[in-house]
Amino acid sequence: MTRVVVLQSNYIPWKGYFDLIRDADVFCFYDDVQFTKNDWRNRNRIKTAQGTRWLSVPVGTDLNRLVCEVRMSDSRWQASHWESLKQAYSKQPYFRYYREFFEEIYRAREWSSLSELNQYLVRKISAELLGIKTRFDDSRNYRTEGRRLERLMGLLKQLQCSHYVSGPAAKDYIDAAEFEAAGIQLVWKDYSGYPMYEQPYPPFEHGVSILDLLFCVGPSAPQYIWGWREDLAGGR
């Protein structure tokens, strides 16, 4: 039995993204697909004293690109994002705990590819900060053909997928009958029920970058993503 998630890489994603990763045996980045404007690929939100704020990686206006083809020619955004993170979270309990980790990413390295940046962040945060054991893969390692669902099904077969785990937004275009015909069990992820934590600048907001949770609760972060759910199941 192999549980698979196939998803585009996102910039410093929210906690639900990592919850989905942990549900899988294999998480396959799907970056050889169309880049979409004003999406999670190159931006995410943080909490500030003025409310939620977007941190956007500048990638230009060309929409005729795949996610893996998106380049950044100007690295000045890195210092700007790091300053924004410091201003928003430097007084939170675990900012200093993770400072060296993120300072190396924003200050010591330069990124020219959006996909490279996103995948690096997702892999490092998953393994080193959240203790996720899921194996990562990349759709570019496989031969994929056809359009949308046909292409996805071909990839899943090559990944020897028995269970496909998907976020609820995909219900708009996924045909469950296709999965049943292929002998793949379709599992819909439920993001409801996440507990609140001591977050700066009320009101509480779940839909912000994972960095918010890390800086606020530190190594206890997994408890607020999936640990609470396992506690409930154990108490039944």
Side-chain angles (χ1 to χ4, degrees):
M1 186 176 76
T2 303
R3 295 168 66 91
V4 175
V5 170
V6 176
L7 198 60
Q8 291 91 351
S9 66
N10 288 357
Y11 177 58
I12 50 173
W14 81 303
K15 59 193 172 189
Y17 190 103
F18 293 93
D19 198 7
L20 196 60
I21 291 173
R22 188 176 179 272
D23 281 353
D25 298 302
V26 179
F27 182 93
C28 187
F29 288 109
Y30 203 32
D31 284 355
D32 53 346
V33 294
Q34 177 67 42
F35 174 71
T36 48
K37 184 181 179 182
N38 297 330
D39 214 333
W40 303 106
R41 256 40 88 207
N42 69 307
R43 66 177 189 167
N44 223 298
R45 299 193 300 166
I46 61 172
K47 291 295 294 290
T48 75
Q50 292 74 44
T52 56
R53 175 188 171 186
W54 288 102
L55 288 187
S56 299
V57 178
V59 295
T61 58
D62 182 10
L63 295 181
N64 190 29
R65 295 175 290 178
L66 305 180
V67 176
C68 58
E69 295 173 338
V70 175
R71 311 291 293 182
M72 298 99 74
S73 58
D74 188 342
S75 63
R76 286 178 294 180
W77 68 269
Q78 295 181 213
S80 175
H81 283 206
W82 179 239
E83 287 303 311
S84 294
L85 289 169
K86 286 197 295 183
Q87 289 174 18
Y89 295 110
S90 62
K91 295 181 180 179
Q92 296 312 304
Y94 290 92
F95 181 81
R96 293 183 65 186
Y97 186 85
Y98 295 116
R99 178 170 185 149
E100 184 178 349
F101 180 93
F102 288 106
E103 201 162 31
E104 188 272 336
I105 291 168
Y106 284 101
R107 302 288 290 178
R109 302 179 59 138
E110 284 195 7
W111 305 93
S112 58
S113 162
L114 181 64
S115 182
E116 180 190 9
L117 165 69
N118 288 351
Q119 290 197 25
Y120 181 86
L121 277 163
V122 169
R123 290 171 186 262
K124 293 282 281 187
I125 291 171
S126 294
E128 297 185 20
L129 306 189
L130 299 176
I132 296 174
K133 306 299 183 183
T134 298
R135 179 171 69 85
F136 287 95
D137 208 334
D138 193 307
S139 58
R140 287 172 287 177
N141 295 329
Y142 301 88
R143 182 177 178 179
T144 54
E145 299 175 338
R147 294 178 60 82
R148 205 154 193 177
L149 188 55
E150 179 186 4
R151 189 168 186 264
L152 174 61
M153 296 302 295
L155 175 60
L156 294 179
K157 289 175 183 176
Q158 292 178 77
L159 289 166
Q160 300 182 322
C161 171
S162 63
H163 293 67
Y164 178 65
V165 188
S166 175
K171 289 182 180 181
D172 292 340
Y173 65 86
I174 279 186
D175 183 357
E178 292 276 351
F179 287 83
E180 185 176 355
I184 297 174
Q185 184 172 332
L186 183 58
V187 181
W188 294 111
K189 181 65 178 174
D190 182 1
Y191 294 127
S192 64
Y194 288 127
M196 293 189 292
Y197 50 92
E198 194 70 30
Q199 186 185 64
Y201 320 118
F204 189 89
E205 173 60 59
H206 285 289
V208 291
S209 167
I210 185 68
L211 304 193
D212 184 274
L213 178 63
L214 289 169
F215 292 145
C216 291
V217 306
S220 297
Q223 178 64 26
Y224 293 88
I225 310 176
W226 55 77
W228 65 274
R229 195 182 295 121
E230 294 172 353
D231 289 346
L232 284 177
R236 289 173 187 166

